[in-house]
Amino acid sequence: MEKKHKPAEKSSLHVRNKHQSRYNFEALKVALPELSELVAINKYGDESIDFANPKAVKTLNKALLKYFYQIDFWDIPEGYLCPPIPGRADYIHYAADLLASCNEQKIPTAKKIKVLDVGVGANCVYPIIGSQEYGWQFVGSDIDDLAVKCAKSIVATNTNLVKNVEIRLQTVKTEIFKNIIRKDEKFDLTICNPPFHASAEEANAGSQRKNRNLGNKNYSNPVLNFGGKNTELWTKGGEVAFVGKMIEESQLFKNQCLWFTSLVSKSENLGAIYAMLKRAEAAEVRTSEMTTGNKITRIVGWTFMDTAQQNAWVKAW
């Protein structure tokens, strides 16, 4: 039987992203044998998984994290966000470029770089990738007790994470940097993948679209193949409100962090976010565009430090 035309390689990913090519299921099955029972031949005549199946997606993530990032133990509770690894890696690599832009285009590596991941989730994926790719130190924060417990378990069970990643519970659910960034503590970078829906209904509609695109006939009662609890998927006012709160609080820590960043999922929200950054008197704003599959997202970064202050900061690197 003649094979159907294969999808293109993931050429839109960042040049340093390890996930440029299609998944090598032979290698992944060797890394994680339990993946074997979930792999089948797709319509293109290649090995793949059913991306509408939450168990298959989670097992693929476990295999990717083991094969590419040497993570021997990784697990999340049922229903929690199971993020696509290639897209998460892209954010880390673009963040590395942002830091390099202040450092004569040299990416700073090792433990001298400290990063705060706002909303680390039960999956702890950003700290995993960032610490394994660049040797950075991470603090991950979250408002969800179970997510924090799970992320701490992932860190404690992997010796290559123990000295590089710390997980903190945000005890005040309405706050972002307060109660997390300690007095005299400095971060070179903050990252965040904010909940981008404005309501549970909007989040459910998004899940229906995703399931329909994956060929799930029962899309009106969607299965969240990548999971996601309420706090991970939606917040009152959507991502504009969340990023706005982040911008507001970032002013309180403008001397303790070089670059604040956040993903912005919806391009129509950029205008409002730029306006808030102007009101906050950010010294510099940068936007990077990422393309993962057919989805385009942006990383908006801002700093309150002028060029001279940035240069003084990076001398510590």
Side-chain angles (χ1 to χ4, degrees):
M1 184 178 72
E2 186 179 344
K3 285 188 179 183
K4 293 189 178 182
H5 181 64
K6 291 182 182 179
E9 304 257 321
K10 304 169 189 171
S11 57
S12 55
L13 293 176
H14 191 283
V15 66
R16 291 192 304 276
N17 197 317
K18 290 177 175 176
H19 310 284
Q20 294 278 349
S21 302
R22 290 185 293 272
Y23 296 125
N24 182 345
F25 282 99
E26 282 304 313
L28 293 173
K29 286 189 293 184
V30 171
L32 190 75
E34 68 184 86
L35 180 65
S36 300
E37 64 187 62
L38 296 162
V39 173
I41 301 299
N42 66 15
K43 63 183 179 181
Y44 303 105
D46 294 320
E47 287 190 312
S48 188
I49 63 162
D50 177 4
F51 284 94
N53 178 352
K55 181 183 178 184
V57 170
K58 179 176 170 180
T59 307
L60 173 60
N61 269 17
K62 289 171 73 171
L64 290 169
L65 291 170
K66 186 167 186 181
Y67 182 77
F68 288 103
Y69 304 105
Q70 295 74 57
I71 299 301
D72 291 324
F73 169 82
W74 184 83
D75 196 17
I76 55 173
E78 185 177 347
Y80 278 72
L81 189 66
C82 184
I85 303 300
R88 294 303 192 263
D90 246 30
Y91 191 166
I92 293 295
H93 293 304
Y94 278 105
D97 290 343
L98 181 61
L99 296 181
S101 71
C102 305
N103 193 43
E104 299 179 340
Q105 299 308 317
K106 297 175 191 168
I107 296 172
T109 58
K111 295 181 180 181
K112 55 196 171 188
I113 299 302
K114 191 169 183 180
V115 182
L116 171 60
D117 177 10
V118 176
V120 64
N123 59 77
C124 198
V125 164
Y126 284 128
I128 287 172
I129 297 172
S131 65
Q132 294 307 102
E133 287 281 33
Y134 297 113
W136 297 341
Q137 291 268 296
F138 274 81
V139 171
S141 68
D142 209 287
I143 62 173
D144 186 296
D145 289 278
L146 182 54
V148 164
K149 182 180 177 182
C150 203
K152 282 184 174 181
S153 177
I154 290 169
V155 172
T157 317
N158 290 281
T159 55
N160 50 357
L161 298 180
V162 171
K163 293 182 179 179
N164 288 331
V165 183
E166 179 189 349
I167 306 297
R168 299 176 188 172
L169 177 67
Q170 171 58 275
T171 54
V172 183
K173 295 185 188 299
T174 56
E175 294 178 350
I176 296 174
F177 298 124
K178 294 177 187 177
N179 305 309
I180 295 297
I181 299 179
R182 295 166 181 166
K183 187 180 178 182
D184 301 326
E185 185 176 31
K186 291 191 174 182
F187 287 92
D188 300 284
L189 177 74
T190 73
I191 61 175
C192 181
N193 187 358
F196 54 84
H197 293 301
S199 66
E201 292 75 21
E202 187 182 313
N204 189 60
S207 298
Q208 287 184 14
R209 282 194 302 274
K210 184 184 289 185
N211 273 253
R212 186 162 52 235
N213 292 339
L214 287 168
N216 182 357
K217 294 177 181 176
N218 188 26
Y219 59 80
S220 61
N221 184 25
V223 173
L224 291 174
N225 60 322
F226 289 101
K229 305 298 285 185
N230 283 349
T231 54
E232 295 175 308
L233 298 178
W234 71 274
T235 187
K236 187 176 180 181
E239 68 181 0
V240 169
F242 192 95
V243 176
K245 174 66 173 170
M246 193 183 302
I247 292 168
E248 179 188 323
E249 282 195 27
S250 69
Q251 297 173 81
L252 303 173
F253 301 94
K254 60 185 177 182
N255 297 317
Q256 289 178 254
C257 181
L258 177 57
W259 282 101
F260 300 91
T261 74
S262 177
L263 281 181
V264 176
S265 177
K266 300 176 181 179
S267 60
E268 60 266 29
N269 292 337
L270 288 171
I273 289 168
Y274 292 150
M276 289 186 283
L277 286 166
K278 187 174 182 179
R279 285 197 296 273
E281 300 183 339
E284 192 175 350
V285 177
R286 306 262 193 94
T287 304
S288 302
E289 196 171 89
M290 302 191 310
T291 305
T292 309
N294 58 4
K295 183 173 174 58
I296 298 174
T297 54
R298 297 123 211 106
I299 302 167
V300 175
W302 65 97
T303 181
F304 296 97
M305 298 187 187
D306 60 26
T307 302
Q309 292 169 313
Q310 291 176 34
N311 290 339
W313 181 287
V314 302
K315 284 180 179 177
W317 297 348

